[in-house]
Amino acid sequence: MEIHIKKFGDASVCIELPKLSAIPLVKLWKERIITDILLMAFSNRAATLVSVDPAPDTIGYRFPYQLLVSGGHSYLVNNMDSCDYHDLVQIGESPEMSLGLLTLVAGANNYQFDHYFPKTEESLLTIKEEMLICSPDAHRVYWLNANREYSDLLLAINDIADFYQLLIAS
């Protein structure tokens, strides 16, 4: 199995995951890879967790939240002072994360959520905040504006893939 990494814009990366999600082992690998990227990006950092049109059992209800409505959508917003390991694991393993219904944005009190869930890949390039979001088809993870060099991102993601014995094609 392999994942593909590509530079996306000036300061972002797109990680393409295997498309065999029906196989339980592949589904577990995807969750773990997403979780490991979340841990690498947001451990011990302030962040805003945003869910679009949240279901009653969405993970955002496990944290202090605000429910806001804008543009015909409801948004569940969680301001997290410091993302700890357990919170990030719960977020990474949540179905909402892998389906692109949940995003994590660096810094607290980020309320530009109406553009955090774009309809096209090109509109992701307009986002200025550092954030991590999955595509709705659960095959791509976007780490936007990572404030790291692409070579450092590539090395870190390679380390994660090596741990899971996946092949990297970039």
Side-chain angles (χ1 to χ4, degrees), residues 49-51 59 91 94 96-97 100-104 117 132-133:
L49 180 67
V50 183
S51 306
I59 189 155
I91 293 165
S94 70
E96 298 91 354
M97 187 71 197
L101 299 173
L102 175 71
T103 187
L104 202 58
F117 300 94
L132 194 104
I133 190 168

Side-chain angles (χ1 to χ4, degrees), residues 72-113:
H73 293 283
S74 58
Y75 297 92
L76 186 64
V77 180
N78 311 91
N79 287 304
M80 305 175 85
D81 293 330
S82 180
C83 296
D84 71 17
Y85 174 84
H86 299 290
D87 294 342
L88 291 171
V89 169
Q90 288 181 17
I91 293 165
E93 292 177 350
S94 70
E96 298 91 354
M97 187 71 197
S98 63
L99 294 174
L101 299 173
L102 175 71
T103 187
L104 202 58
V105 183
N109 299 312
N110 281 312
Y111 289 98
Q112 301 299 320
F113 45 78

Side-chain angles (χ1 to χ4, degrees), residues 15-170:
I15 303 127
E16 294 180 352
L17 302 172
K19 295 186 178 186
L20 305 169
S21 293
I23 300 171
L25 183 60
V26 174
K27 184 177 185 286
L28 179 63
W29 275 351
K30 284 177 152 182
E31 286 175 0
R32 294 307 313 152
I33 290 168
I34 292 168
T35 299
D36 286 353
I37 293 169
L38 280 170
L39 288 165
M40 182 176 25
F42 293 101
S43 284
N44 302 314
R45 293 180 64 194
T48 305
L49 180 67
V50 183
S51 306
V52 63
D53 297 326
D57 62 345
T58 193
I59 189 155
Y61 288 115
R62 297 180 190 171
F63 309 107
Y65 65 89
Q66 294 176 302
L67 188 60
L68 306 169
V69 177
S70 176
H73 293 283
S74 58
Y75 297 92
L76 186 64
V77 180
N78 311 91
N79 287 304
M80 305 175 85
D81 293 330
S82 180
C83 296
D84 71 17
Y85 174 84
H86 299 290
D87 294 342
L88 291 171
V89 169
Q90 288 181 17
I91 293 165
E93 292 177 350
S94 70
E96 298 91 354
M97 187 71 197
S98 63
L99 294 174
L101 299 173
L102 175 71
T103 187
L104 202 58
V105 183
N109 299 312
N110 281 312
Y111 289 98
Q112 301 299 320
F113 45 78
D114 53 342
H115 75 274
Y116 290 160
F117 300 94
K119 301 287 185 229
T120 65
E121 191 174 70
E122 291 77 30
S123 55
L124 286 170
L125 294 170
T126 64
I127 296 172
K128 302 298 180 213
E129 296 86 355
E130 179 180 1
M131 68 181 264
L132 194 104
I133 190 168
C134 295
S135 62
D137 64 7
H139 299 307
R140 289 179 302 284
V141 178
Y142 297 94
W143 186 359
L144 305 175
N145 305 307
N147 295 320
R148 300 174 193 211
E149 294 293 323
Y150 178 71
S151 59
D152 294 338
L153 288 172
L154 192 58
L155 182 63
I157 294 166
N158 269 315
D159 286 345
I160 292 170
D162 285 346
F163 181 78
Y164 295 105
Q165 299 177 350
L166 296 173
L167 301 174
I168 297 291
S170 57

